[in-house]
């Protein structure tokens, strides 16, 4: 980890808030699926399905990715986030906004929508502005900073589209076409989520998994694919391209997965084998999601389950567990007296615990896939998902609490 700028690291508790909240939202999403059962997987348009999608996209992925940016920008991209004292308030407003949004989607309480829009929209917009300011001031790798900037701009576009859709659903705007819903999902999924994964992965794959350095030309090529996908999505929404074009929007995820599996296969000095396995299985799920969307009669719910329910969560959960050990290590270095040797990151978060979390997620995945075709399995799949995320949350908290409750020290 010699390439990290430790002196610019934020207070470890700041990103840790987001990472713990992400796992907690995973538990809630699993319980919601278990409670709603077949209704949550009957159609992409049911309120129960919309709530589940936003629990995963905003609660789980949103918290994990915002938290990783809080840590990644100053440490790996040398772009310190300004006004860091605002981060806890932004995180609280963001999650409160998510809760109110879900209530507005699931209940007739439409008056909650404007409050959700203010909290959720305001917190995301403020975070995006802070991130863009940090990127403009940073001096890290230009291609990485450009990629993060593109992802943050896509986040702002996703937010704007989401507010329009929320206004239409709440009766304060004329009804919108399904194409705008698709555009909102693609700008958020491909532009924000995948765009950020491409930029961050170009640094973390070599650093944390021991892959060969990602050439800048590869990174620029991946960014071009993301931009092309967004341009195609806009053309499909405007009617220039046929509706069938929407199905091709899973291709960028499949290409990203193929790239991850390729660089993993060419690794000379492997690191963090459990993290590699999280990303390997996540990549396989993303490939499956792309295939499900492209095959004749492609199943939208199956593709969504593979990409949003399995593939992307495996990537971010694996990274969250790894980052938790790293944040705990930083916090201990700042807390213990000089001359006290801090245990290595690997010993703070043992591999056996990560393995149990991975196996729990893989078991949940094997139950979620048949539930798409036979919704009778949705209840048990939801319970399995909740247990998997609960195991991850408990493991993260147990690691993090060492900052306060101490560890076995060895004087130098």
């Amino acid at each position: 980890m010699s390439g990290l700028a430790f002196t610019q690291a934020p207070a470890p508790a700041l990103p840790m808030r987001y990472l713990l909240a992400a796992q907690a939202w995973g538990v809630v999403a699993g319980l919601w699926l278990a409670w709603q059962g077949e209704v949550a997987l009957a159609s992409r348009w049911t309120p129960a399905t919309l709530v589940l999608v936003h629990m995963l996209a905003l609660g789980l992925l949103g918290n994990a990715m915002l938290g990783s940016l809080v840590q990644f920008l100053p440490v790996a991209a040398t772009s310190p986030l300004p006004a860091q004292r605002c981060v806890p308030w932004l995180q609280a407003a963001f999650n409160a906004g998510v809760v109110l949004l879900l209530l507005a989607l699931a209940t007739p309480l439409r008056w909650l929508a404007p409050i959700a829009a203010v909290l959720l929209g305001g917190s995301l917009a403020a975070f995006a502005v802070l991130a863009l300011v940090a990127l403009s001031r940073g001096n890290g790798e230009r291609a990485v900073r450009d990629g993060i900037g593109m992802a943050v701009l896509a986040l702002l576009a996703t937010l704007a589209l989401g507010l329009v859709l929320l206004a239409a659903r709440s009766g304060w705007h004329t009804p919108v076409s399904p194409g705008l819903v698709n555009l909102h999902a693609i700008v958020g999924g491909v532009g924000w989520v995948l765009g950020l994964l491409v930029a961050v992965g170009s640094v973390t794959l070599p650093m944390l998994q021991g892959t060969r350095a990602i050439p800048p030309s590869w990174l620029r090529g991946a960014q071009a694919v993301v931009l092309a996908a967004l341009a195609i999505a806009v053309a499909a929404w405007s009617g220039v391209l046929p509706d069938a074009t929407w199905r091709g929007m899973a291709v960028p995820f499949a290409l990203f997965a193929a790239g991850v599996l390729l660089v993993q296969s060419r690794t000379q000095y492997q690191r963090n084998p459990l993290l590699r396995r999280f990303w390997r299985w996540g990549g396989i799920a993303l490939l499956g999601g792309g295939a499900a969307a492209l095959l004749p009669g492609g199943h939208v719910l199956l593709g969504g389950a593979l990409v949003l329910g399995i593939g992307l969560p495996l990537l971010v959960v694996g990274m969250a567990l790894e980052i938790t050990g790293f944040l705990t290590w930083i916090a201990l270095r700042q807390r213990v007296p000089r001359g006290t040797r801090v245990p290595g990151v690997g010993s703070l978060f043992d591999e056996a615990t990560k393995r149990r979390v991975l196996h729990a997620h893989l078991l949940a995945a094997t139950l979620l896939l048949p539930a798409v075709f036979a919704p009778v399995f949705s209840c048990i799949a939801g319970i399995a998902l909740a247990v998997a995320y609960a195991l991850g949350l408990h493991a993260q908290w147990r690691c993090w609490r060492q900052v306060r409750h101490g560890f076995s020290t060895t004087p130098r």
Side-chain angles (χ1 to χ4, degrees), residues 133-388:
V133 171
L135 291 168
S136 67
R137 295 176 177 177
N139 57 5
E141 178 66 35
R142 182 59 184 267
V144 174
R145 288 190 292 124
D146 287 348
I148 297 175
M150 287 168 45
V152 172
L153 291 175
L155 172 62
L156 289 174
T158 305
L159 173 61
L161 292 170
L163 292 177
V164 171
L165 293 173
L166 182 60
R169 184 175 179 82
S170 303
W172 292 301
H173 189 279
T174 57
V176 296
S177 66
L180 191 65
V181 178
N182 292 334
L183 184 63
H184 169 64
I186 290 165
V187 174
V190 178
W192 158 237
V193 177
L194 185 58
L196 187 60
L197 281 173
V198 167
V200 173
S202 67
V203 176
T204 57
L205 279 167
M207 184 179 299
L208 298 179
Q209 300 188 35
T211 69
R212 296 181 179 180
I214 309 299
S217 58
W218 285 31
L219 180 55
R220 292 295 188 187
Q223 292 168 359
V225 170
V226 170
L227 289 175
L230 296 180
I232 292 172
V234 171
W237 167 68
S238 62
V240 176
L241 297 176
D243 288 341
T245 306
W246 295 116
R247 290 169 50 190
M249 293 298 101
V251 172
F253 290 102
L255 292 175
F256 172 75
V260 168
L261 296 175
L262 177 62
V263 297
Q264 281 191 341
S265 68
R266 295 182 175 182
T267 300
Q268 187 174 4
Y269 303 106
Q270 296 187 8
R271 301 172 189 162
N272 301 317
L274 265 298
L275 176 60
R276 289 172 57 85
R277 289 175 63 187
F278 268 102
W279 276 57
R280 183 180 304 120
W281 284 109
I284 292 172
L286 293 179
L287 284 174
L294 290 177
L295 290 175
H299 202 293
V300 175
L301 287 177
L302 176 60
L306 285 164
V307 173
L308 184 59
I310 299 173
L312 293 176
L314 280 173
L315 301 185
V316 300
V317 168
M319 280 297 299
L321 298 182
E322 197 67 36
I323 293 174
T324 296
F326 179 48
L327 293 175
T328 303
W329 180 75
I330 293 177
L332 285 173
R333 284 190 59 185
Q334 296 173 350
R335 191 178 184 89
V336 301
R338 292 178 63 92
T340 301
R341 189 173 68 186
V342 176
V345 175
S347 60
L348 291 172
F349 205 134
D350 64 283
E351 294 293 289
T353 301
K354 296 177 185 177
R355 187 177 298 107
R356 282 193 292 270
V357 175
L358 173 61
H359 291 168
H361 274 279
L362 294 179
L363 174 61
T366 61
L367 294 171
L368 181 61
L369 292 180
V372 173
F373 300 98
V376 67
F377 290 102
S378 56
C379 181
I380 188 173
I383 294 173
L385 277 175
V387 169

Side-chain angles (χ1 to χ4, degrees), residues 67-166:
S68 65
L69 265 186
V70 172
Q71 180 69 21
F72 184 86
L73 280 174
V75 174
T78 61
S79 302
L81 198 69
Q84 292 186 11
R85 293 182 179 180
C86 298
V87 171
W89 297 100
L90 292 178
Q91 196 252 356
F94 170 73
N95 282 282
V98 173
V99 171
L100 294 178
L101 171 65
L102 298 178
L103 289 174
L105 293 176
T107 69
L109 303 176
R110 301 297 173 84
W111 59 270
L112 294 173
I115 306 176
V118 171
L119 290 174
L120 188 57
S123 60
L124 283 177
F127 191 99
V129 170
L130 293 178
L132 291 174
V133 171
L135 291 168
S136 67
R137 295 176 177 177
N139 57 5
E141 178 66 35
R142 182 59 184 267
V144 174
R145 288 190 292 124
D146 287 348
I148 297 175
M150 287 168 45
V152 172
L153 291 175
L155 172 62
L156 289 174
T158 305
L159 173 61
L161 292 170
L163 292 177
V164 171
L165 293 173
L166 182 60

